[in-house]
Amino acid sequence: MSLFSSFFGPNINELAAQARDTPGSIVIDVRTPDEYREGHIEGALSVPLVSVPATAAQRLPNKNAPIYAYCLSGARSAQACRELERQGYTNAVNMGGIGNWSGPLAR
């Protein structure tokens, strides 16, 4: 991460580009289904934070895949990454909050 990230948290725009360039990566939106429908990053899977403990193994079967998580502010995605790591995922990245996203939103 950049020096900017160390002071202000993850840069969702840089990390989305990294995810696009990383073979086998998966981007997950851990906001509620309603928030996801309001607009999300193109290609992101909706995996609400509340469902991560029970559904991660089914929805994200490869525990070594690079998984990039985002939410509204970065707090829920940080929680999701901790839960994924607790379940044995080896490459969970907190992208931060979509509030800082500068690209288009898919609906």
Side-chain angles (χ1 to χ4, degrees):
M1 285 195 202
S2 68
L3 181 60
F4 176 84
S5 296
S6 64
F7 289 114
F8 299 104
N11 183 315
I12 191 168
N13 298 291
E14 290 177 5
L15 290 169
Q18 180 180 320
R20 274 191 306 274
D21 294 340
T22 303
S25 68
I26 301 164
V27 176
I28 62 172
D29 182 324
V30 300
R31 299 176 300 155
T32 66
D34 286 341
E35 289 174 303
Y36 179 83
R37 281 189 293 275
E38 288 174 9
H40 55 274
I41 295 173
E42 183 71 40
L45 299 176
S46 176
V47 183
L49 176 61
V50 297
S51 74
V52 171
T55 66
Q58 176 186 1
R59 304 271 325 265
L60 307 165
N62 182 353
K63 291 192 175 191
N64 295 312
I67 299 171
Y68 293 80
Y70 72 89
C71 63
L72 182 63
S73 69
R76 286 178 281 179
S77 51
Q79 287 179 301
C81 288
R82 285 192 299 272
E83 174 60 25
L84 290 170
E85 290 166 359
R86 189 190 70 71
Q87 290 189 32
Y89 289 82
T90 61
N91 199 1
V93 177
N94 178 8
M95 294 174 70
I98 198 166
N100 294 317
W101 175 244
S102 62
L105 294 176
R107 289 183 167 73

